[in-house]
Amino acid sequence: MNEKQDIGSLFDRISRTYDRLNHLLSLNIDRRWRYRAVSSLAKLAADEQLLDVAVGTADLTLEVLRQGKAQHVVGIDLSEQMMKIGQEKIKKRGYELSVSLKKENAQHMSFADNSFAAVTCAFGVRNFADLDAGLREMTRVLRPGGQMVILEFSYPENKVIAALYDFYFTHILPLIGKMLSHDKTAYTYLNRSVKSFIWGQQMCDKLSEVGLSNVGYKTLTFGIATIYMGEKRG
Ligand SMILES: C[S@@+](CC[C@H](N)C(=O)[O-])C[C@H]1O[C@@H](n2cnc3c(N)ncnc32)[C@H](O)[C@@H]1O
């Protein structure tokens, strides 16, 4: 079976250590990346909703609320354990009334067409078993003119940075990940999934194909991560 077919269980297994490891392995840069992704969103009106796809432990959702970009967020994910931790964090920060979390597959969501004024996804699309289906669904539920922001790992163009990055991802990160999460496969999966994924213009072409306009991207930290943006064609 394709490992992405069972991605919910993989994230269920590492949910308890996910946040700690994320911040440790990225040397805390992931917080800055989410801050930058959310900064590129326009502020929604009080009666509009934002959908955070692959919400996980809700870090992007919490950043949306912290920056006041939306007053209500719907978060969906396949992993109940990741969302359980997300819910605890939401409660701790007093945002229970501003967020609804739901178990849903991004590739076939139950929401009606044009339901959301904005759709976000941080480090999620790389994990979709069917990327095209996920992007099509994210566009379907976005209202015309609504903004989509995707944050995802990418690959550095500079050869020296790329060599250091390869070394870190192939040797250091899986080792620390295995020691701290006690899961042998999760962090070698991370390495494989990043290296085999598309980035830059190829991703922008896909976003245009599924129905977005004004598509563009900004690379972060030597191209290790990228923010993709677009608007649904009216
Ligand atoms: C790396 S985590 C990212 C979580 C969070 N967005 C963040 O910024 O930390 C990826 C998440 O994508 C979820 N996921 C993967 N495929 C999915 C799908 N088809 N539908 C919904 N969630 C999915 C996983 O369960 C996991 O929680």
Side-chain angles (χ1 to χ4, degrees):
M1 180 171 62
N2 174 347
E3 58 193 340
K4 291 185 182 176
Q5 301 291 348
D6 199 23
I7 200 75
S9 332
L10 183 145
F11 280 98
D12 276 343
R13 292 203 304 276
I14 63 165
S15 57
R16 282 277 146 211
T17 41
Y18 176 82
D19 280 343
R20 195 158 46 98
L21 270 173
N22 238 357
H23 305 320
L24 178 77
L25 295 173
S26 76
L27 311 173
N28 245 336
I29 303 170
D30 64 309
R31 293 183 200 270
R32 176 91 199 140
W33 291 339
R34 287 191 193 79
Y35 167 83
R36 292 278 304 275
V38 171
S39 301
S40 62
L41 280 165
K43 188 173 172 177
L44 301 189
D47 60 345
E48 292 180 319
Q49 296 201 96
L50 178 144
L51 174 69
D52 188 17
V53 172
V55 60
T57 58
D59 275 355
L60 192 89
T61 288
L62 287 167
E63 186 58 31
V64 165
L65 295 165
R66 202 188 65 77
Q67 290 190 28
K69 294 293 174 124
Q71 293 186 21
H72 194 260
V73 179
V74 176
I76 65 131
D77 203 285
L78 280 175
S79 164
E80 280 174 306
Q81 295 308 318
M82 291 284 278
M83 286 192 288
K84 200 169 153 203
I85 290 165
Q87 190 60 51
E88 287 162 14
K89 286 158 63 180
I90 289 163
K91 191 168 172 212
K92 213 163 142 191
R93 304 212 196 148
Y95 285 122
E96 299 103 301
L97 298 178
S98 310
V99 186
S100 333
L101 300 182
K102 204 166 174 226
K103 184 172 178 180
E104 291 243 355
N105 189 333
Q107 289 147 208
H108 30 86
M109 293 187 258
S110 64
F111 309 113
D113 296 356
N114 313 327
S115 297
F116 297 94
V119 173
T120 55
C121 186
F123 308 111
V125 295
R126 188 188 73 252
N127 298 296
F128 293 171
D130 184 342
L131 173 65
D132 292 5
L135 295 178
R136 269 197 306 273
E137 271 295 88
M138 286 163 61
T139 308
R140 180 185 69 74
V141 301
L142 182 62
R143 72 152 158 72
Q147 210 184 350
M148 189 182 301
V149 172
I150 294 173
L151 172 63
E152 193 47 87
F153 281 111
S154 43
Y155 199 72
E157 282 184 7
N158 178 296
K159 286 198 168 68
V160 177
I161 305 279
L164 289 171
Y165 176 90
D166 277 343
F167 183 79
Y168 182 69
F169 258 72
T170 317
H171 300 288
I172 315 271
L173 189 143
L175 192 71
I176 305 176
K178 184 175 159 184
M179 274 176 352
L180 298 188
S181 75
H182 305 293
D183 190 289
K184 289 193 190 72
T185 52
Y187 287 84
T188 53
Y189 162 74
L190 178 66
N191 181 30
R192 280 193 303 282
S193 67
V194 172
K195 290 197 81 174
S196 59
F197 197 61
I198 56 164
W199 66 86
Q201 192 52 48
Q202 258 187 300
M203 178 62 119
C204 289
D205 292 347
K206 274 210 182 291
L207 294 174
S208 304
E209 272 164 34
V210 296
L212 300 188
S213 58
N214 297 329
V215 173
Y217 69 98
K218 272 188 223 153
T219 55
L220 305 169
T221 323
F222 308 112
I224 294 172
T226 299
I227 300 171
Y228 301 92
M229 287 154 295
E231 286 158 23
K232 182 166 169 177
R233 285 197 282 270

mmCIF file of all heavy atoms in Angstrom, residues 4 7-8 11 18-19 22 34 52-60 76-79 82 104-107 121-124 126-129, ligand 1:
data_model
loop_
_atom_site.group_PDB
_atom_site.id
_atom_site.type_symbol
_atom_site.label_atom_id
_atom_site.label_comp_id
_atom_site.label_asym_id
_atom_site.label_seq_id
_atom_site.Cartn_x
_atom_site.Cartn_y
_atom_site.Cartn_z
ATOM 1 N N LYS A 4 1.132 6.960 1.785
ATOM 2 C CA LYS A 4 0.264 8.119 1.965
ATOM 3 C C LYS A 4 -1.205 7.716 2.135
ATOM 4 O O LYS A 4 -2.021 8.515 2.546
ATOM 5 C CB LYS A 4 0.423 9.081 0.791
ATOM 6 C CG LYS A 4 1.791 9.754 0.779
ATOM 7 C CD LYS A 4 1.896 10.787 -0.315
ATOM 8 C CE LYS A 4 3.297 11.401 -0.314
ATOM 9 N NZ LYS A 4 3.481 12.342 -1.422
ATOM 10 N N ILE A 7 -1.882 7.807 5.934
ATOM 11 C CA ILE A 7 -1.160 8.930 6.537
ATOM 12 C C ILE A 7 -1.750 9.344 7.896
ATOM 13 O O ILE A 7 -1.029 9.771 8.794
ATOM 14 C CB ILE A 7 -1.120 10.128 5.531
ATOM 15 C CG1 ILE A 7 -0.003 11.093 5.875
ATOM 16 C CG2 ILE A 7 -2.425 10.844 5.407
ATOM 17 C CD1 ILE A 7 1.347 10.594 5.518
ATOM 18 N N GLY A 8 -3.071 9.166 8.040
ATOM 19 C CA GLY A 8 -3.716 9.528 9.313
ATOM 20 C C GLY A 8 -3.116 8.744 10.469
ATOM 21 O O GLY A 8 -2.823 9.307 11.534
ATOM 22 N N PHE A 11 0.412 9.996 11.447
ATOM 23 C CA PHE A 11 0.376 11.213 12.277
ATOM 24 C C PHE A 11 -0.252 10.933 13.647
ATOM 25 O O PHE A 11 0.144 11.565 14.633
ATOM 26 C CB PHE A 11 -0.285 12.374 11.533
ATOM 27 C CG PHE A 11 0.688 13.025 10.576
ATOM 28 C CD1 PHE A 11 0.702 12.703 9.229
ATOM 29 C CD2 PHE A 11 1.631 13.924 11.043
ATOM 30 C CE1 PHE A 11 1.629 13.275 8.361
ATOM 31 C CE2 PHE A 11 2.567 14.500 10.186
ATOM 32 C CZ PHE A 11 2.559 14.178 8.837
ATOM 33 N N TYR A 18 4.945 15.505 17.976
ATOM 34 C CA TYR A 18 4.997 16.301 16.733
ATOM 35 C C TYR A 18 5.444 17.750 16.964
ATOM 36 O O TYR A 18 6.396 18.218 16.340
ATOM 37 C CB TYR A 18 3.627 16.267 16.034
ATOM 38 C CG TYR A 18 3.566 17.133 14.804
ATOM 39 C CD1 TYR A 18 4.061 16.692 13.578
ATOM 40 C CD2 TYR A 18 3.046 18.433 14.858
ATOM 41 C CE1 TYR A 18 4.031 17.502 12.447
ATOM 42 C CE2 TYR A 18 3.015 19.250 13.733
ATOM 43 C CZ TYR A 18 3.509 18.769 12.532
ATOM 44 O OH TYR A 18 3.488 19.577 11.416
ATOM 45 N N ASP A 19 4.802 18.437 17.889
ATOM 46 C CA ASP A 19 5.110 19.864 18.075
ATOM 47 C C ASP A 19 6.549 20.072 18.526
ATOM 48 O O ASP A 19 7.280 20.882 17.978
ATOM 49 C CB ASP A 19 4.176 20.488 19.127
ATOM 50 C CG ASP A 19 2.813 20.838 18.531
ATOM 51 O OD1 ASP A 19 2.706 20.904 17.289
ATOM 52 O OD2 ASP A 19 1.864 21.039 19.310
ATOM 53 N N ASN A 22 8.955 19.235 15.749
ATOM 54 C CA ASN A 22 8.867 20.233 14.684
ATOM 55 C C ASN A 22 9.740 21.428 14.997
ATOM 56 O O ASN A 22 10.538 21.863 14.172
ATOM 57 C CB ASN A 22 7.425 20.759 14.640
ATOM 58 C CG ASN A 22 6.795 20.543 13.310
ATOM 59 O OD1 ASN A 22 7.418 20.051 12.398
ATOM 60 N ND2 ASN A 22 5.540 20.915 13.207
ATOM 61 N N ARG A 34 5.212 29.937 9.521
ATOM 62 C CA ARG A 34 3.750 30.049 9.649
ATOM 63 C C ARG A 34 3.339 31.512 9.794
ATOM 64 O O ARG A 34 2.356 31.948 9.231
ATOM 65 C CB ARG A 34 3.232 29.231 10.833
ATOM 66 C CG ARG A 34 3.261 27.735 10.576
ATOM 67 C CD ARG A 34 2.502 26.959 11.644
ATOM 68 N NE ARG A 34 2.800 25.551 11.536
ATOM 69 C CZ ARG A 34 3.921 24.987 12.014
ATOM 70 N NH1 ARG A 34 4.813 25.722 12.650
ATOM 71 N NH2 ARG A 34 4.129 23.695 11.854
ATOM 72 N N ASP A 52 -8.797 25.696 7.405
ATOM 73 C CA ASP A 52 -7.391 25.278 7.517
ATOM 74 C C ASP A 52 -7.328 23.770 7.271
ATOM 75 O O ASP A 52 -7.716 22.966 8.113
ATOM 76 C CB ASP A 52 -6.842 25.660 8.904
ATOM 77 C CG ASP A 52 -5.333 25.436 9.003
ATOM 78 O OD1 ASP A 52 -4.684 25.298 7.948
ATOM 79 O OD2 ASP A 52 -4.813 25.404 10.135
ATOM 80 N N VAL A 53 -6.847 23.407 6.087
ATOM 81 C CA VAL A 53 -6.794 22.001 5.671
ATOM 82 C C VAL A 53 -5.533 21.347 6.254
ATOM 83 O O VAL A 53 -4.469 21.957 6.255
ATOM 84 C CB VAL A 53 -6.793 21.934 4.122
ATOM 85 C CG1 VAL A 53 -6.553 20.513 3.634
ATOM 86 C CG2 VAL A 53 -8.097 22.482 3.561
ATOM 87 N N ALA A 54 -5.676 20.104 6.723
ATOM 88 C CA ALA A 54 -4.571 19.390 7.386
ATOM 89 C C ALA A 54 -4.125 20.199 8.606
ATOM 90 O O ALA A 54 -2.942 20.467 8.801
ATOM 91 C CB ALA A 54 -3.419 19.142 6.417
ATOM 92 N N VAL A 55 -5.090 20.559 9.419
ATOM 93 C CA VAL A 55 -4.877 21.456 10.560
ATOM 94 C C VAL A 55 -3.887 20.894 11.578
ATOM 95 O O VAL A 55 -3.194 21.652 12.264
ATOM 96 C CB VAL A 55 -6.245 21.793 11.230
ATOM 97 C CG1 VAL A 55 -6.942 20.556 11.741
ATOM 98 C CG2 VAL A 55 -6.108 22.788 12.366
ATOM 99 N N GLY A 56 -3.786 19.567 11.678
ATOM 100 C CA GLY A 56 -2.830 18.940 12.602
ATOM 101 C C GLY A 56 -3.037 19.402 14.030
ATOM 102 O O GLY A 56 -4.157 19.348 14.562
ATOM 103 N N THR A 57 -1.968 19.903 14.646
ATOM 104 C CA THR A 57 -2.054 20.345 16.050
ATOM 105 C C THR A 57 -2.386 21.840 16.136
ATOM 106 O O THR A 57 -2.134 22.483 17.154
ATOM 107 C CB THR A 57 -0.739 20.052 16.794
ATOM 108 O OG1 THR A 57 0.315 20.735 16.105
ATOM 109 C CG2 THR A 57 -0.421 18.567 16.836
ATOM 110 N N ALA A 58 -2.908 22.378 15.045
ATOM 111 C CA ALA A 58 -3.521 23.719 14.991
ATOM 112 C C ALA A 58 -2.555 24.909 15.066
ATOM 113 O O ALA A 58 -3.000 26.031 15.324
ATOM 114 C CB ALA A 58 -4.609 23.853 16.066
ATOM 115 N N ASP A 59 -1.293 24.721 14.788
ATOM 116 C CA ASP A 59 -0.373 25.867 14.867
ATOM 117 C C ASP A 59 -0.714 26.971 13.871
ATOM 118 O O ASP A 59 -0.625 28.153 14.205
ATOM 119 C CB ASP A 59 1.088 25.420 14.668
ATOM 120 C CG ASP A 59 1.708 24.950 15.979
ATOM 121 O OD1 ASP A 59 1.052 25.067 17.034
ATOM 122 O OD2 ASP A 59 2.854 24.472 15.951
ATOM 123 N N LEU A 60 -1.078 26.601 12.647
ATOM 124 C CA LEU A 60 -1.393 27.646 11.664
ATOM 125 C C LEU A 60 -2.702 28.346 12.037
ATOM 126 O O LEU A 60 -2.814 29.572 11.974
ATOM 127 C CB LEU A 60 -1.474 27.085 10.249
ATOM 128 C CG LEU A 60 -1.495 28.215 9.208
ATOM 129 C CD1 LEU A 60 -0.082 28.607 8.785
ATOM 130 C CD2 LEU A 60 -2.307 27.867 7.994
ATOM 131 N N ILE A 76 -9.667 20.890 9.330
ATOM 132 C CA ILE A 76 -9.936 19.468 9.039
ATOM 133 C C ILE A 76 -8.625 18.682 8.974
ATOM 134 O O ILE A 76 -7.584 19.210 8.598
ATOM 135 C CB ILE A 76 -10.729 19.265 7.728
ATOM 136 C CG1 ILE A 76 -9.909 19.728 6.508
ATOM 137 C CG2 ILE A 76 -12.073 19.944 7.768
ATOM 138 C CD1 ILE A 76 -9.876 18.717 5.416
ATOM 139 N N ASP A 77 -8.713 17.433 9.355
ATOM 140 C CA ASP A 77 -7.534 16.564 9.307
ATOM 141 C C ASP A 77 -7.995 15.111 9.336
ATOM 142 O O ASP A 77 -9.118 14.811 9.768
ATOM 143 C CB ASP A 77 -6.618 16.835 10.517
ATOM 144 C CG ASP A 77 -5.173 16.420 10.256
ATOM 145 O OD1 ASP A 77 -4.891 15.202 10.267
ATOM 146 O OD2 ASP A 77 -4.335 17.305 10.039
ATOM 147 N N LEU A 78 -7.114 14.208 8.901
ATOM 148 C CA LEU A 78 -7.419 12.776 8.962
ATOM 149 C C LEU A 78 -7.023 12.188 10.303
ATOM 150 O O LEU A 78 -7.480 11.112 10.672
ATOM 151 C CB LEU A 78 -6.626 12.036 7.874
ATOM 152 C CG LEU A 78 -7.163 12.085 6.460
ATOM 153 C CD1 LEU A 78 -6.174 11.407 5.518
ATOM 154 C CD2 LEU A 78 -8.518 11.396 6.391
ATOM 155 N N SER A 79 -6.135 12.883 11.031
ATOM 156 C CA SER A 79 -5.625 12.329 12.291
ATOM 157 C C SER A 79 -6.363 12.912 13.493
ATOM 158 O O SER A 79 -6.215 14.102 13.821
ATOM 159 C CB SER A 79 -4.126 12.604 12.409
ATOM 160 O OG SER A 79 -3.711 12.421 13.739
ATOM 161 N N MET A 82 -3.852 14.123 16.274
ATOM 162 C CA MET A 82 -3.239 15.449 16.034
ATOM 163 C C MET A 82 -4.256 16.532 16.429
ATOM 164 O O MET A 82 -3.912 17.500 17.119
ATOM 165 C CB MET A 82 -2.863 15.608 14.552
ATOM 166 C CG MET A 82 -1.722 14.731 14.092
ATOM 167 S SD MET A 82 -0.094 15.288 14.613
ATOM 168 C CE MET A 82 0.293 16.536 13.386
ATOM 169 N N GLU A 104 -11.930 14.976 8.397
ATOM 170 C CA GLU A 104 -12.345 14.946 6.984
ATOM 171 C C GLU A 104 -11.109 14.678 6.136
ATOM 172 O O GLU A 104 -9.995 15.054 6.518
ATOM 173 C CB GLU A 104 -12.873 16.322 6.543
ATOM 174 C CG GLU A 104 -14.175 16.741 7.140
ATOM 175 C CD GLU A 104 -15.275 16.924 6.096
ATOM 176 O OE1 GLU A 104 -15.004 16.821 4.889
ATOM 177 O OE2 GLU A 104 -16.414 17.154 6.535
ATOM 178 N N ASN A 105 -11.350 14.094 4.978
ATOM 179 C CA ASN A 105 -10.266 13.904 4.022
ATOM 180 C C ASN A 105 -10.268 15.078 3.045
ATOM 181 O O ASN A 105 -11.291 15.358 2.419
ATOM 182 C CB ASN A 105 -10.486 12.584 3.272
ATOM 183 C CG ASN A 105 -9.280 12.214 2.430
ATOM 184 O OD1 ASN A 105 -8.511 13.074 1.989
ATOM 185 N ND2 ASN A 105 -9.105 10.922 2.217
ATOM 186 N N ALA A 106 -9.114 15.736 2.918
ATOM 187 C CA ALA A 106 -9.009 16.908 2.031
ATOM 188 C C ALA A 106 -9.361 16.559 0.591
ATOM 189 O O ALA A 106 -9.728 17.432 -0.190
ATOM 190 C CB ALA A 106 -7.589 17.457 2.086
ATOM 191 N N GLN A 107 -9.250 15.287 0.238
ATOM 192 C CA GLN A 107 -9.494 14.902 -1.153
ATOM 193 C C GLN A 107 -10.969 14.747 -1.491
ATOM 194 O O GLN A 107 -11.335 14.707 -2.655
ATOM 195 C CB GLN A 107 -8.744 13.597 -1.461
ATOM 196 C CG GLN A 107 -7.254 13.827 -1.509
ATOM 197 C CD GLN A 107 -6.465 12.647 -1.020
ATOM 198 O OE1 GLN A 107 -5.369 12.813 -0.518
ATOM 199 N NE2 GLN A 107 -6.993 11.458 -1.129
ATOM 200 N N CYS A 121 -3.265 25.806 4.027
ATOM 201 C CA CYS A 121 -2.771 24.453 4.278
ATOM 202 C C CYS A 121 -1.263 24.539 4.525
ATOM 203 O O CYS A 121 -0.516 24.964 3.645
ATOM 204 C CB CYS A 121 -3.067 23.553 3.074
ATOM 205 S SG CYS A 121 -2.642 21.829 3.375
ATOM 206 N N ALA A 122 -0.838 24.174 5.735
ATOM 207 C CA ALA A 122 0.595 24.242 6.066
ATOM 208 C C ALA A 122 1.159 22.831 6.189
ATOM 209 O O ALA A 122 0.689 22.037 7.013
ATOM 210 C CB ALA A 122 0.810 24.995 7.373
ATOM 211 N N PHE A 123 2.127 22.510 5.392
ATOM 212 C CA PHE A 123 2.823 21.211 5.418
ATOM 213 C C PHE A 123 1.854 20.040 5.288
ATOM 214 O O PHE A 123 2.065 18.988 5.880
ATOM 215 C CB PHE A 123 3.674 21.080 6.697
ATOM 216 C CG PHE A 123 4.588 22.257 6.898
ATOM 217 C CD1 PHE A 123 4.391 23.169 7.917
ATOM 218 C CD2 PHE A 123 5.633 22.467 6.004
ATOM 219 C CE1 PHE A 123 5.224 24.278 8.070
ATOM 220 C CE2 PHE A 123 6.467 23.579 6.142
ATOM 221 C CZ PHE A 123 6.267 24.474 7.182
ATOM 222 N N GLY A 124 0.781 20.262 4.530
ATOM 223 C CA GLY A 124 -0.239 19.232 4.371
ATOM 224 C C GLY A 124 -0.259 18.650 2.969
ATOM 225 O O GLY A 124 -0.295 17.426 2.802
ATOM 226 N N ARG A 126 1.783 18.010 0.686
ATOM 227 C CA ARG A 126 2.814 17.000 0.364
ATOM 228 C C ARG A 126 2.385 15.603 0.796
ATOM 229 O O ARG A 126 2.832 14.599 0.252
ATOM 230 C CB ARG A 126 4.106 17.400 1.084
ATOM 231 C CG ARG A 126 5.318 16.609 0.743
ATOM 232 C CD ARG A 126 6.478 16.971 1.667
ATOM 233 N NE ARG A 126 6.304 16.452 3.006
ATOM 234 C CZ ARG A 126 6.017 17.165 4.095
ATOM 235 N NH1 ARG A 126 5.861 18.454 4.011
ATOM 236 N NH2 ARG A 126 5.874 16.603 5.266
ATOM 237 N N ASN A 127 1.494 15.556 1.777
ATOM 238 C CA ASN A 127 1.070 14.260 2.324
ATOM 239 C C ASN A 127 -0.174 13.679 1.648
ATOM 240 O O ASN A 127 -0.562 12.555 1.953
ATOM 241 C CB ASN A 127 0.762 14.421 3.816
ATOM 242 C CG ASN A 127 1.985 14.852 4.596
ATOM 243 O OD1 ASN A 127 2.952 14.117 4.664
ATOM 244 N ND2 ASN A 127 1.950 16.045 5.145
ATOM 245 N N PHE A 128 -0.804 14.460 0.777
ATOM 246 C CA PHE A 128 -2.030 13.954 0.151
ATOM 247 C C PHE A 128 -1.704 12.740 -0.723
ATOM 248 O O PHE A 128 -0.745 12.772 -1.502
ATOM 249 C CB PHE A 128 -2.678 15.009 -0.758
ATOM 250 C CG PHE A 128 -3.231 16.221 -0.051
ATOM 251 C CD1 PHE A 128 -3.662 17.325 -0.785
ATOM 252 C CD2 PHE A 128 -3.346 16.272 1.330
ATOM 253 C CE1 PHE A 128 -4.177 18.442 -0.160
ATOM 254 C CE2 PHE A 128 -3.867 17.390 1.968
ATOM 255 C CZ PHE A 128 -4.277 18.478 1.220
ATOM 256 N N ALA A 129 -2.543 11.703 -0.623
ATOM 257 C CA ALA A 129 -2.349 10.533 -1.481
ATOM 258 C C ALA A 129 -2.576 10.934 -2.942
ATOM 259 O O ALA A 129 -1.953 10.395 -3.846
ATOM 260 C CB ALA A 129 -3.305 9.431 -1.063
HETATM 261 C C1 LIG B 1 2.935 17.815 8.814
HETATM 262 S S1 LIG B 1 1.311 17.861 9.472
HETATM 263 C C2 LIG B 1 0.954 19.570 9.386
HETATM 264 C C3 LIG B 1 0.045 20.033 10.472
HETATM 265 C C4 LIG B 1 -0.160 21.546 10.608
HETATM 266 N N1 LIG B 1 -0.839 22.112 9.467
HETATM 267 C C5 LIG B 1 1.117 22.280 10.888
HETATM 268 O O1 LIG B 1 1.365 23.325 10.290
HETATM 269 O O2 LIG B 1 1.886 21.831 11.769
HETATM 270 C C6 LIG B 1 0.386 17.171 8.158
HETATM 271 C C7 LIG B 1 -1.036 16.860 8.510
HETATM 272 O O3 LIG B 1 -1.730 16.549 7.291
HETATM 273 C C8 LIG B 1 -2.740 15.613 7.610
HETATM 274 N N2 LIG B 1 -3.222 15.034 6.337
HETATM 275 C C9 LIG B 1 -2.508 14.328 5.430
HETATM 276 N N3 LIG B 1 -3.280 13.956 4.391
HETATM 277 C C10 LIG B 1 -4.515 14.465 4.636
HETATM 278 C C11 LIG B 1 -5.749 14.434 3.927
HETATM 279 N N4 LIG B 1 -5.877 13.805 2.760
HETATM 280 N N5 LIG B 1 -6.817 15.045 4.480
HETATM 281 C C12 LIG B 1 -6.714 15.689 5.678
HETATM 282 N N6 LIG B 1 -5.571 15.747 6.399
HETATM 283 C C13 LIG B 1 -4.484 15.144 5.877
HETATM 284 C C14 LIG B 1 -2.041 14.660 8.550
HETATM 285 O O4 LIG B 1 -2.937 13.859 9.286
HETATM 286 C C15 LIG B 1 -1.234 15.651 9.413
HETATM 287 O O5 LIG B 1 -1.919 16.026 10.585
#
